[in-house]
Amino acid sequence: MKEESNMNLLFEPRSIAVVGASSKPGKIGFSVVRNLKQGGFKGKIYPINPQGGEILGEQVYNSVKDIPGEVDVASIIVPAKLAFEAVKECADKGVKHIQIITSGFSEVGEVELEHKIVDYAKSKGSRILGPNIFGVFSATSNFNSTFSATEIARGHVAILTQSGALGIAMIGKTAVNNIGLSAIVSIGNKADIDEADCLEYVVKSELTKVILMYVEGIKGGERFIEALGAATRVKPVVVLKSGRSKRGAAAAASHTGSLAGADEITDAILKQCGALRAESLQEAFNWCKFLSNAPEPKGNRGVIVTNGGGIGVMATDACEKYGVELYDDQAVLKDVFAPATPEFGSLKNPIDITGGANSAAYDLALSAPAVSDKMDATMALYCETATFDSENLAPMIRNTYKKHMDTGTPVVYAIVGGSAVENAIVTLSNENVPVFADPYDAISCMGALYRHHDFNKSRDDSVNESKIDLAAIEKVIDKALADGRTFLLANEGQDVMRAAGIMIPGAAIAKSIDDAVKCAEKIGYPVVMKVVSRDILHKSDAGGVALNIENKDEVVDAYEAIMRNCKAYKADAVIDGIEVCEMVKKGTEIIIGARKDPQMGPIVMAGMGGIYVEVMKDVAFRSAALNRGEALKMIAETRSYALLLGARGEDQKDIDVVIDSVIKASTIIRKVSRISDIEINPIVVYEKGKGVKAVDVRILITK
Ligand code: COA
């Protein structure tokens, strides 16, 4: 359980000690004091330097110990070898948050020093931000404890960044793009304070309308997911996640890991939390700027207005790509747009007011969706033409933008042409009018707006769990660990399925030929027989499997053959018996998996199963903290969902029981700390009402 954090004090402190403050311009210790002063911070600034004196008019203290009164935040800017002592003094003084700008810790292998610092600070109740950061800025408190060389433009976007260098670059870039910041914090090595903590502050910050996160690696997936989900409920969160590496996945032992790069899992979970994942810095900035100014759409009746057919088609494609719906009520469109459209134009969405349209025609056409209660969003396109009165382009856009804002109707513009058009883009962008040079950029913004609001309209954060017999599962694991194994045998896997209530084929373990015959007769022919041995993982390769056994004689023959084959395959293999199982009838083979992902925590997977899982890679992922609706969405994302719905005249399959099984696998992975991977493949799905059979179950365990 994380201790109660007062993140407010990190961003809005009453006092700050700058340990390593310097009077030498050009040094970080100087820049931080200068930025605090220039930013207009009203709290106390205590520069600390053994040489004493004054820095920018502030009295310098020799040590934190000498500061009279309480200190909320300290910024550490001394070399790494002095950092522990500096942190110790601050923690002893009772400083609440210690931000360590200094580099040279875990990022260069100095893990122990970093741990030592965090452990000491925690023991005194202090929190650590960083190390390896550029500092914190909050517009609310005029608190700029960064060493940024440029002034930070104030506005409504809060940035949480793992990369310091990129963060500093973003300060400059957001200023150029006229995107003001409400806050920016560099999280660095995340030795203690992480994204989840910082989200807590920016979600509550009234100035913040949009949150932008730059994330490389995620620690503590469950907390991250919870904090992110809570944040998107309140405001849009744009995420730039880098590190699409497949390395981690290659090392994973199960299909759930190897079927996807870590990135596919991240992608799915960001969506599950309602975050908006941007592909590039530019896209992220475009979204942030647009989302901090755009009104909430009242519905999904979008309309494209254009003076060129080609760009209209491009925009239509973009709407499909970004999920922006286009309105199709022909009678209404005709009614609304006919006055602005010549006879040879098009009144079908996209509305084409044709190349002859001048600014007055545009004004008329673009005012219509702003005031109509039948349309909810406008995508305005313009291609430069010889007949257009170009000096009126910017005023027309300004005017129609204002009308949209006045009526709370979101609008984006894409205008294409020469220098007059490019100049208009620069001028209008500086006024925060969403004008772009490409319809894809414009409509990508509109798509982000819809995704955020649509997600919140239909979101359901409840988590479904099923009843599982935890004690029975723990017992199976105890036994396997006592045997020195980190995996469960097939029959133990079936025991876990039984304890969770996932349907399995009838099966029993026979220790002798007579026993095998009795088992087969109890289960009912035809049966399958499989060797049970911890020394033989790939049973078929060892000749340890016999299928379609129809009668007593065949049971006897199969028993003898399996024993013979397995001894020949591995003479010293310990054979615990032969499993006699129900011969599973044909159905639709799917896979259900669950694992503890090193970054995202417990995750679940489902998709097309059978022997071609890795070839087809038709699977989808979610955080294991999910409900039945989300489980269905996950399954429905795969192409093979069509098979469950009943392809080629087949009946629909038992999707309800598939969902049950997903929830059960999720419950196991979340509740049983010692199970790291579950893979059920295939789990055969029958017609509606007839359930499933988990045929092959692999489970990995840890101590
Ligand atoms: N308490 C307070 N001040 C102390 C001190 C102590 N115990 N011991 C030394 N100082 C003073 C020094 O005298 C110096 O002041 P001066 O300029 O008046 O001489 C100041 O602290 C800084 O120490 P110095 O040895 O000059 O270090 P530096 O300024 O060259 O480098 C860092 C310090 C922290 C900037 C450097 O070690 C570092 O980590 N740089 C990378 C920072 C970075 O990029 N972070 C990530 C950003 S994303």
Side-chain angles (χ1 to χ4, degrees):
M1 185 66 200
K2 120 183 132 82
E3 66 218 62
E4 186 48 42
S5 61
N6 183 356
M7 279 299 131
N8 233 41
L9 274 186
L10 176 64
F11 291 85
E12 298 176 18
R14 293 158 298 189
S15 53
I16 176 169
V18 182
V19 183
S22 173
S23 56
K24 296 169 189 137
K27 295 191 76 167
I28 293 182
F30 175 81
S31 305
V32 169
V33 179
R34 182 202 57 207
N35 287 351
L36 282 164
K37 293 204 53 100
Q38 279 181 358
F41 178 57
K42 294 282 180 291
K44 289 242 182 292
I45 303 168
Y46 300 112
I48 311 293
N49 189 310
Q51 292 155 51
E54 258 193 18
I55 299 175
L56 296 170
E58 297 291 341
Q59 181 200 336
V60 175
Y61 291 80
N62 289 334
S63 157
V64 170
K65 283 185 262 180
D66 302 337
I67 298 174
E70 280 185 39
V71 180
D72 289 338
V73 168
S75 178
I76 306 292
I77 320 173
V78 292
K81 60 178 187 307
L82 303 177
F84 177 74
E85 272 311 311
V87 169
K88 185 170 177 297
E89 278 192 12
C90 294
D92 289 345
K93 166 96 186 146
V95 175
K96 316 277 181 319
H97 294 284
I98 304 170
Q99 32 168 306
I100 306 178
I101 287 183
T102 311
S103 303
F105 298 91
S106 63
E107 81 282 8
V108 292
E110 294 289 342
V111 181
E112 270 176 35
L113 178 58
E114 193 169 295
H115 284 165
K116 188 175 150 193
I117 286 175
V118 173
D119 290 347
Y120 191 84
K122 278 194 172 164
S123 74
K124 298 283 172 175
S126 304
R127 303 285 314 261
I128 298 286
L129 177 68
N132 191 27
I133 59 163
F134 66 72
V136 175
F137 162 77
S138 166
T140 310
S141 52
N142 290 323
F143 177 64
N144 182 0
S145 67
T146 74
F147 57 86
S148 165
T150 49
E151 216 179 301
I152 304 179
R154 282 157 165 74
H156 301 291
V157 177
I159 300 182
L160 317 184
T161 172
Q162 195 172 344
S163 157
L166 193 59
I168 291 180
M170 282 188 194
I171 291 177
K173 181 103 176 135
T174 47
V176 169
N177 280 269
N178 202 30
I179 303 171
L181 300 185
S182 53
I184 181 163
V185 54
S186 144
I187 298 165
N189 297 1
K190 299 195 249 192
D192 175 16
I193 292 175
D194 59 13
E195 287 92 351
D197 294 306
C198 294
L199 277 171
E200 197 182 301
Y201 171 77
V202 293
V203 166
K204 286 191 210 137
S205 134
E206 278 177 28
L207 269 185
T208 303
K209 291 191 179 157
V210 181
I211 299 165
L212 169 61
M213 296 172 72
Y214 171 76
V215 186
E216 277 164 13
I218 292 163
K219 285 184 190 169
E222 280 172 286
R223 264 191 75 223
F224 175 81
I225 290 168
E226 205 178 301
L228 185 58
T232 62
R233 203 177 299 136
V234 184
K235 44 192 87 164
V237 182
V238 177
V239 178
L240 269 166
K241 166 79 176 69
S242 62
R244 297 175 178 248
S245 151
K246 292 250 190 290
R247 240 181 7 178
S254 73
H255 282 133
T256 316
S258 61
L259 269 176
D263 195 63
E264 279 167 271
I265 297 169
T266 308
D267 206 57
I269 291 178
L270 289 177
K271 269 198 208 116
Q272 187 180 351
C273 295
L276 304 166
R277 185 174 188 180
E279 282 290 321
S280 65
L281 269 175
Q282 193 56 56
E283 186 171 59
F285 288 143
N286 288 351
W287 289 358
C288 285
K289 189 170 176 178
F290 179 67
L291 293 167
S292 35
N293 296 302
E296 178 178 348
K298 295 178 191 79
N300 54 9
R301 297 165 302 180
V303 63
I304 298 173
V305 177
T306 180
N307 67 347
I311 194 174
V313 177
M314 276 178 81
T316 309
D317 290 348
C319 283
E320 194 170 303
K321 175 171 177 186
Y322 296 113
V324 177
E325 288 182 37
L326 293 176
Y327 184 50
D328 265 335
D329 188 322
Q330 217 38 60
V332 173
L333 290 170
K334 192 169 169 206
D335 200 35
V336 171
F337 290 105
T341 311
E343 288 211 345
F344 48 90
S346 170
L347 289 167
K348 284 202 183 109
N349 200 356
I351 306 297
D352 188 350
I353 59 174
T354 78
N358 59 12
S359 61
Y362 256 107
D363 220 306
L364 195 60
L366 289 179
S367 300
V371 295
S372 163
D373 60 1
K374 302 237 164 41
M375 278 155 239
D376 305 306
T378 311
M379 276 75 58
L381 313 176
Y382 166 78
C383 279
E384 196 170 34
T385 63
T387 52
F388 192 93
D389 40 339
S390 59
E391 71 283 5
N392 286 331
L393 178 62
M396 177 279 285
I397 292 177
R398 223 175 257 128
N399 184 37
T400 54
Y401 177 66
K402 184 174 179 313
K403 283 186 182 157
H404 278 81
M405 289 304 101
D406 288 347
T407 57
T409 313
V411 59
V412 285
Y413 297 82
I415 62 178
V416 185
S419 56
V421 168
E422 291 293 328
N423 290 339
I425 292 177
V426 174
T427 312
L428 292 162
S429 291
N430 281 333
E431 296 167 24
N432 285 341
V433 181
V435 185
F436 301 89
D438 189 312
Y440 274 83
D441 291 339
I443 291 164
S444 146
C445 287
M446 192 63 92
L449 180 72
Y450 270 105
R451 278 208 300 289
H452 172 68
H453 289 292
D454 289 350
F455 183 86
N456 274 328
K457 267 183 215 147
S458 61
R459 75 184 289 155
D460 174 3
D461 296 327
S462 63
V463 174
N464 289 138
E465 268 176 16
S466 37
K467 265 189 136 173
I468 59 174
D469 185 347
L470 274 176
I473 297 176
E474 298 291 355
K475 220 164 123 189
V476 172
I477 298 170
D478 287 341
K479 184 175 166 290
L481 288 174
D483 274 4
R485 278 181 283 123
T486 54
F487 61 90
L488 299 188
L489 298 174
N491 59 309
E492 293 169 334
Q494 299 284 355
D495 287 343
V496 172
M497 295 294 101
R498 216 172 278 121
I502 296 177
M503 297 176 179
I504 50 173
I509 305 223
K511 303 267 186 196
S512 66
I513 292 182
D514 279 355
D515 212 7
V517 172
K518 271 190 213 135
C519 293
E521 279 171 6
K522 192 166 166 221
I523 289 164
Y525 293 107
V527 294
V528 179
M529 291 169 67
K530 295 183 219 168
V531 67
V532 180
S533 168
R534 74 208 66 189
D535 301 319
I536 301 173
L537 269 188
H538 300 286
K539 301 182 198 80
S540 304
D541 296 353
V545 180
L547 304 172
N548 221 357
I549 293 160
E550 303 269 10
N551 53 46
K552 184 177 168 185
D553 291 345
E554 286 184 19
V555 172
V556 174
D557 289 349
Y559 194 99
E560 287 170 351
I562 288 173
M563 284 298 189
R564 209 169 39 242
N565 293 343
C566 291
K567 285 285 171 209
Y569 181 76
K570 199 163 191 289
D572 60 349
V574 176
I575 295 175
D576 295 318
I578 288 185
E579 192 183 9
V580 181
C581 331
E582 172 187 337
M583 174 99 185
V584 175
K585 285 200 296 296
K586 273 205 158 127
T588 303
E589 293 190 346
I590 65 162
I591 181 170
I592 293 177
R595 73 187 288 250
K596 295 201 171 79
D597 184 76
Q599 292 201 23
M600 288 299 189
I603 58 160
V604 67
M605 171 196 86
M608 185 181 170
I611 55 173
Y612 296 119
V613 274
E614 269 163 291
V615 182
M616 302 309 290
K617 284 192 188 293
D618 182 27
V619 291
F621 297 86
R622 287 293 187 278
S623 158
L626 82 174
N627 56 40
R628 295 181 64 86
E630 198 63 39
L632 176 60
K633 272 195 211 154
M634 170 175 71
I635 299 159
E637 260 170 34
T638 62
R639 277 170 285 131
S640 39
Y641 181 59
L643 303 180
L644 293 178
L645 287 175
R648 302 181 67 94
E650 287 174 9
D651 287 342
Q652 185 170 322
K653 305 293 180 291
D654 209 333
I655 296 170
D656 265 355
V657 177
V658 172
I659 294 171
D660 283 345
S661 310
V662 167
I663 298 292
K664 283 171 174 160
S666 306
T667 309
I668 302 174
I669 204 73
R670 291 180 64 226
K671 298 275 162 190
V672 186
S673 61
R674 294 183 297 172
I675 290 187
S676 63
D677 284 73
I678 304 168
E679 184 179 298
I680 317 171
N681 181 32
I683 175 162
V684 182
V685 189
Y686 300 107
E687 283 76 39
K688 213 171 168 178
K690 300 219 167 106
V692 302
K693 287 272 155 90
V695 176
D696 208 344
V697 182
R698 287 189 212 185
I699 294 180
L700 301 182
I701 54 174
T702 53
K703 283 193 184 121

